[in-house]
Amino acid sequence: MPVSGAGTGGAAPGFSGQGGMVAPVAGASGATAGSGGTGSGTGGTTAGAGGMPGAGGASGSGGMSGTGGMSGGGGASGTGGDPGAMMCKAEPVHMGGLTQYDQTPLGNCGMPWPSDDLYGAMATADYGASAVCGMCAEVTGPTGQKTIIHAVDQCPIASNPKCVAGHIDLSHTAYQAIVPSNYQFGGEVPNSSPISWHYVACNTSGPIVYHFKDGTSVNWLAVQIRNSRYGIASLQYRRNGGAWENLSAPTGDLAYYVANGPNTTTYDFRVTDVNGQVLEDDGLQLMVNGDVSGHAQFPTCR
């Protein structure tokens, strides 16, 4: 399929260049790629406060053999979530416009397209050299309708001037979920009439998944974390119970963590999400161009 700008391959050996995005479906000719709106959305709701302890009952009157009053019951606990859960990273609210595009064989992240067809290509300024790949964002449309998308692609500013910071190129399904069919600007929401969005937890089931890239061997390791509730901040590995070593963070379009010369096909992994939560998996066997399930999922932060 034709693409608008070729994505770059990873810096490490063995990466093949990924295609860039196809051009967005044309919107109204008068739309401009103006700056985002000035309003900032509010963050999520705060955790519920714990209930007040109940007051003790009054004691029985003197001289009588009556029993003392009943002691008051403690107040109900608040609904603030698991007290042992880690605090969520504060996520800012972004403002920008929307376009829509057709799915390509593979997005810049190198991840599978989500089965619900709710995905988006993030502007280069927000893509962070693939740091946001696999994260989920709640997008609020121009009339207040909301949907949650997976960030699995990049909207390259080099080939699409509409893709300024805050702009998202959505799948047709995601766009139609939050933009009415009779919207005044038709097939896009201009950056001059912005919507809002912020990152949220993905609605995942099952544990995280380690995907080993094709070309991975005892001499070169490239791993991508999939099916994660939150974004990934770092990935470490160790061999034969030795010291933890850092894999290089993604620096190009493809969201793979890389290590040169691991000299093993059996790995222990330590994964840290953007909230600082850590998962460890031991004794995972290399599966070239294949998936290996971890043992757990990141808990919901509060």
Side-chain angles (χ1 to χ4, degrees):
M1 295 180 67
V3 296
S4 63
T8 60
F15 281 110
S16 57
Q18 295 299 315
M21 290 170 45
V22 298
V25 175
S29 60
T32 61
S35 61
T38 58
S40 62
T42 58
T45 57
T46 59
M52 295 295 292
S59 60
S61 59
M64 298 292 294
S65 59
T67 60
M70 296 293 291
S71 59
S77 61
T79 57
D82 180 3
M86 186 169 287
M87 294 295 293
C88 297
K89 173 187 174 185
E91 290 291 354
V93 174
H94 304 261
M95 308 292 287
L98 299 174
T99 45
Q100 49 186 320
Y101 75 111
D102 296 319
Q103 189 178 107
T104 57
L106 190 67
N108 274 174
C109 290
M111 291 181 165
W113 300 103
S115 59
D116 60 10
D117 201 41
L118 296 173
Y119 61 86
M122 316 308 287
T124 300
D126 300 313
Y127 188 69
S130 76
V132 302
C133 289
M135 294 179 66
C136 291
E138 182 181 77
V139 186
T140 303
T143 59
Q145 295 170 279
K146 302 176 186 292
T147 193
I148 294 178
I149 64 164
H150 275 81
V152 292
D153 208 350
Q154 177 183 192
C155 188
I157 186 66
S159 58
N160 187 347
K162 294 179 181 179
C163 289
V164 297
H167 188 98
I168 304 179
D169 212 4
L170 292 176
S171 67
H172 297 297
T173 300
Y175 186 90
Q176 292 164 10
I178 59 174
V179 181
S181 59
N182 62 350
Y183 183 61
Q184 59 177 326
F185 293 108
E188 71 175 274
V189 178
N191 292 315
S192 56
S193 301
I195 52 82
S196 65
W197 59 272
H198 64 284
Y199 291 111
V200 296
C202 294
N203 183 21
T204 58
S205 60
I208 62 170
V209 172
Y210 301 86
H211 177 77
F212 293 91
K213 194 180 185 304
D214 57 310
T216 302
S217 67
V218 295
N219 299 314
W220 183 67
L221 173 64
V223 183
Q224 184 179 84
I225 305 301
R226 297 179 176 178
N227 197 48
S228 175
R229 181 168 285 137
Y230 300 106
I232 304 303
S234 66
L235 178 61
Q236 297 174 296
Y237 79 103
R238 66 182 176 187
R239 295 164 284 189
N240 302 318
W244 289 106
E245 301 177 53
N246 294 321
L247 281 85
S248 298
T251 56
D253 291 338
L254 292 171
Y256 283 89
Y257 287 81
V258 175
N260 291 313
N263 298 317
T264 184
T265 57
T266 303
Y267 299 93
D268 298 342
F269 286 115
R270 175 188 283 170
V271 191
T272 304
D273 73 3
V274 294
N275 301 303
Q277 303 180 122
V278 177
L279 293 177
E280 291 186 7
D281 287 295
D282 297 337
L284 300 187
Q285 295 296 315
L286 169 66
M287 184 177 293
V288 179
N289 196 26
D291 296 340
V292 178
S293 293
H295 80 285
Q297 180 60 249
F298 289 109
T300 303
C301 61
R302 60 184 174 88

